[in-house]
């Protein structure tokens, strides 16, 4: 609402640019190697935190008071590969990609997939027919989930999944 633009510095910070002053400042450091960012319907910043040194391999929300709360860090008891990007629907459900580009941590989930976090905290794996899901975004009418399948040695295309009212594809 204040016009600031938030963006990830993959080096392990979240930055904020204020167009009124022309200044950029650190919003959160360390960020858990945050990449994808979006605001939920209540104006709180949600971050996909990746793998590699300093990475937390989770999805978090920064509350209005600045505290950071984990929305999800596991699926079926297994740690995520490296949450990369996310988008949020008007109901507050978070959709995020979980590829593995970097990081030496052992992988616990064999697939690189797209997940949904419901407002009650339930995590559901919703897309598995991709090689390396990267960017994700919802259409303005919330009826299509777009996923960039970005495998340098394989698929490099944009996929469109019709989105059902329950958040499934």
């Amino acid at each position: 609402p204040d016009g600031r633009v938030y963006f990830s510095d993959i080096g392990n910070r979240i930055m904020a640019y204020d167009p009124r002053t022309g200044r950029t400042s650190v919003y959160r450091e360390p960020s858990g190697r945050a990449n994808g960012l979006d605001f939920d319907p209540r104006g709180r910043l949600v971050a996909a935190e990746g793998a590699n040194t300093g990475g937390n391999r989770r999805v978090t929300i920064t509350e209005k008071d600045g505290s950071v709360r984990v929305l999800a860090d596991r699926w079926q008891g297994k740690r995520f590969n490296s949450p990369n990007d996310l988008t949020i629907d008007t109901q507050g459900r978070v959709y995020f990609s979980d590829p593995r580009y970097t990081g030496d941590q052992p992988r616990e989930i064999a697939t690189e997939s797209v997940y949904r976090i419901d407002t009650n905290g339930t995590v559901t794996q919703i897309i598995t027919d991709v090689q390396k899901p990267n960017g994700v975004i919802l259409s303005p009418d919330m009826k299509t989930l777009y996923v960039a399948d970005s495998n340098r040695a394989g698929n490099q295309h944009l996929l469109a999944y019709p989105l059902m009212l329950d958040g499934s594809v």
Side-chain angles (χ1 to χ4, degrees):
D2 65 3
R4 286 187 289 172
V5 177
Y6 294 79
F7 60 95
S8 297
D9 173 359
I10 303 299
N12 210 9
R13 304 184 297 182
I14 297 172
M15 308 297 289
Y17 169 73
D18 187 339
R20 294 173 302 188
T21 65
R23 295 206 165 136
T24 301
S25 59
V26 174
Y27 174 73
R28 182 174 150 209
E29 183 179 24
S31 70
R33 297 195 72 83
N35 187 6
L37 305 172
D38 198 0
F39 287 95
D40 75 356
R42 293 175 45 196
R44 300 171 299 176
L45 188 65
V46 180
E49 299 180 16
N52 211 349
T53 304
N56 292 325
R57 296 167 60 190
R58 63 188 189 176
V59 176
T60 60
I61 190 165
T62 302
E63 300 289 351
K64 296 282 186 165
D65 66 4
S67 62
V68 177
R69 180 171 54 89
V70 176
L71 293 180
D73 61 358
R74 298 176 191 281
W75 173 69
Q76 295 185 344
K78 299 175 184 174
R79 297 231 21 227
F80 293 122
N81 294 318
S82 183
N84 181 63
D85 196 14
L86 58 82
T87 188
I88 303 171
D89 69 17
T90 54
Q91 295 182 41
R93 297 177 295 202
V94 178
Y95 301 81
F96 70 96
S97 58
D98 186 41
R100 177 58 83 86
Y101 287 100
T102 62
D104 297 328
Q105 303 91 340
R107 284 180 55 163
E108 297 177 29
I109 301 173
T111 61
E112 298 186 23
S113 305
V114 176
Y115 297 83
R116 183 189 69 242
I117 306 170
D118 292 328
T119 56
N120 67 3
T122 301
V123 178
T124 304
Q125 187 181 60
I126 62 169
I127 297 172
T128 59
D129 62 342
V130 291
Q131 292 178 359
K132 199 166 283 293
N134 191 338
V136 294
I137 193 74
L138 286 160
S139 62
D141 65 5
M142 300 287 134
K143 293 182 178 181
T144 306
L145 178 64
Y146 295 98
V147 178
D149 193 3
S150 304
N151 185 351
R152 292 180 186 109
N155 290 347
Q156 294 184 14
H157 52 221
L158 180 64
L159 302 165
Y161 293 86
L163 192 63
M164 305 297 115
L165 291 176
D166 67 358
S168 63
V169 296

